[in-house]
């Protein structure tokens, strides 16, 4: 049986019994290189015409703000996504993590 795993506040943090299979790769990371991690909510956020922000919208925003500090980048990406969505309701969570090698 699959049973939920809870934290100390009884929030579900995982499901016991689900298979976890991961691939791994190795890459060289140089000073200044950045990694962008995101949840699907940002790319699936749609405007009033049901057009998603998409990976291309996210990539364009990331590239346009690459020379900013990390917190500015995150804020500007979210601003770009909100400008795309306009008054449409965001239905999913939005999480962005940017890592930069010193």
């Amino acid at each position: 049986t699959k049973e939920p795993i809870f934290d100390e506040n009884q929030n579900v943090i995982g499901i016991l019994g689900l298979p976890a299979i991961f691939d791994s790769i190795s890459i060289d990371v140089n000073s200044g290189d950045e990694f962008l991690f995101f949840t699907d909510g940002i790319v699936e956020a749609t405007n009033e015409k049901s057009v998603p922000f998409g990976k291309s919208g996210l990539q364009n925003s990331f590239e346009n703000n690459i020379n900013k500090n990390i917190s500015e980048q995150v804020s500007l990406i979210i601003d770009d996504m909100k400008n795309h969505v306009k008054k449409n309701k965001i239905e999913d969570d939005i999480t962005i993590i940017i890592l930069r090698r010193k």
Side-chain angles (χ1 to χ4, degrees):
T1 47
K2 296 177 174 96
E3 297 179 31
I5 302 169
F6 298 96
D7 67 9
E8 65 276 358
N9 296 317
Q10 296 304 304
N11 297 310
V12 176
I13 57 172
I15 306 283
L16 189 63
L18 286 179
I21 301 169
F22 300 97
D23 291 330
S24 65
I25 61 169
S26 296
I27 59 171
D28 293 327
V29 180
N30 299 308
S31 179
D33 286 352
E34 292 187 2
F35 292 90
L36 171 66
F37 301 92
F38 58 93
T39 56
D40 61 347
I42 193 161
V43 294
E44 293 175 355
T46 59
N47 63 16
E48 64 280 352
K49 296 179 183 177
S50 297
V51 176
F53 186 57
K55 289 182 182 177
S56 61
L58 177 59
Q59 182 176 350
N60 288 338
S61 182
F62 183 55
E63 289 174 356
N64 290 337
N65 296 298
I66 197 81
N67 293 320
K68 309 279 193 303
N69 70 50
I70 300 284
S71 61
E72 283 181 293
Q73 286 183 55
V74 170
S75 292
L76 290 166
I77 290 169
I78 291 172
D79 287 347
D80 286 345
M81 185 264 316
K82 286 181 178 178
N83 285 333
H84 173 80
V85 169
K86 299 200 186 325
K87 294 182 180 180
N88 227 21
K89 185 177 179 187
I90 298 170
E91 299 289 335
D92 202 351
D93 66 291
I94 304 294
T95 303
I96 298 172
I97 300 170
I98 299 175
L99 302 177
R100 179 187 294 154
R101 177 149 188 211
K102 288 187 177 193

